[in-house]
Amino acid sequence: MAEASSANLGSGCEEKRHEGSSSESVPPGTTISRVKLLDTMVDTFLQKLVAAGSYQRFTDCYKCFYQLQPAMTQQIYDKFIAQLQTSIREEISDIKEEGNLEAVLNALDKIVEEGKVRKEPACGIPEKDLHSVMAPYFLQQRDTLRRHVQKQEAENQQLADAVLAGRRQVEELQLQVQAQQQAWQALHREQRELVAVLREPE
């Protein structure tokens, strides 16, 4: 059922992409903005991420828990995927805001378009001009990415701890089930022995 829903979701995304591409058809020679390209890359990455982390692979990692609680496993998977997508989008949005990325990309688009129209060379050395403009931005982005990497590592550690705690709970639940099963078998055996004794002639 989960695989079917994933397939339906993927087909829906494909239809939506085709509709968007047809409604927003770009004439030949027109440059697509870098902000749109970035958003498209993010959407494509999320789609591939969801496809790679399919429900089937998720249940393969937690077979015991899936066999005990299939419905809860589905809920956990859906919530995990939704939170993962939201977290990635929020991280990218934070990077855009901190680095003023949209303004930089739009300015770069404008420079490229002006360069196409301009017939005479611009003043100065292009390499130095580009370096003076982009170097501070890249330094800022490096620091921003470092902070996000540290934050992500801390979140990954918390997630790993939570997964480990969940595995321990599953193991404890399995032990409880086994103990209850053994107790029930022992009680059933004692009942049969008692019945056998009562049936013996005096």
Side-chain angles (χ1 to χ4, degrees):
M1 184 182 297
E3 293 294 337
S5 62
S6 298
N8 294 333
L9 179 61
S11 62
C13 293
E14 288 293 334
E15 292 174 0
K16 187 174 182 182
R17 273 204 305 275
H18 290 315
E19 291 175 0
S21 60
S22 60
S23 61
E24 298 179 3
S25 58
V26 180
T30 303
T31 303
I32 302 176
S33 70
R34 285 167 172 78
V35 174
K36 280 190 176 182
L37 289 176
L38 178 60
D39 293 338
T40 302
M41 289 172 60
V42 172
D43 292 338
T44 303
F45 168 75
L46 290 176
Q47 291 171 4
K48 291 183 178 181
L49 182 64
V50 172
S54 65
Y55 181 69
Q56 181 62 46
R57 293 183 178 179
F58 186 81
T59 55
D60 289 342
C61 294
Y62 301 98
K63 285 184 179 179
C64 296
F65 185 76
Y66 170 70
Q67 292 172 355
L68 294 172
Q69 298 287 345
M72 185 177 293
T73 304
Q74 178 70 59
Q75 294 176 0
I76 293 174
Y77 171 78
D78 293 339
K79 187 174 181 181
F80 171 74
I81 290 297
Q83 289 181 344
L84 180 62
Q85 291 178 316
T86 301
S87 176
I88 292 175
R89 290 188 184 277
E90 288 177 351
E91 292 288 339
I92 294 176
S93 179
D94 290 341
I95 292 175
K96 284 183 178 180
E97 292 178 1
E98 291 184 12
N100 198 19
L101 189 56
E102 288 192 9
V104 173
L105 292 177
N106 289 332
L108 185 57
D109 288 338
K110 184 178 180 181
I111 293 173
V112 172
E113 291 300 323
E114 291 177 351
K116 292 179 180 178
V117 177
R118 181 180 298 160
K119 297 181 178 180
E120 56 185 19
C123 299
I125 302 175
E127 291 81 1
K128 290 185 178 180
D129 292 342
L130 180 63
H131 182 270
S132 63
V133 172
M134 299 303 294
Y137 167 74
F138 283 123
L139 290 175
Q140 182 183 11
Q141 287 302 303
R142 183 191 63 183
D143 295 337
T144 300
L145 289 174
R146 282 180 179 175
R147 290 196 299 270
H148 282 287
V149 167
Q150 293 173 354
K151 179 181 177 182
Q152 192 63 47
E153 288 177 348
E155 292 178 354
N156 290 343
Q157 185 60 46
Q158 291 178 356
L159 181 60
D161 294 339
V163 170
L164 183 59
R167 288 181 178 176
R168 291 175 179 172
Q169 291 178 355
V170 171
E171 291 175 356
E172 292 176 358
L173 182 60
Q174 288 178 334
L175 292 176
Q176 292 176 5
V177 171
Q178 291 176 358
Q180 291 176 357
Q181 184 178 9
Q182 292 174 357
W184 181 84
Q185 291 176 349
L187 179 61
H188 185 62
R189 185 168 54 253
E190 291 177 359
Q191 289 177 345
R192 286 189 300 177
E193 292 176 355
L194 180 59
V195 170
V197 170
L198 293 177
R199 290 180 177 177
E200 291 181 357
E202 296 182 356

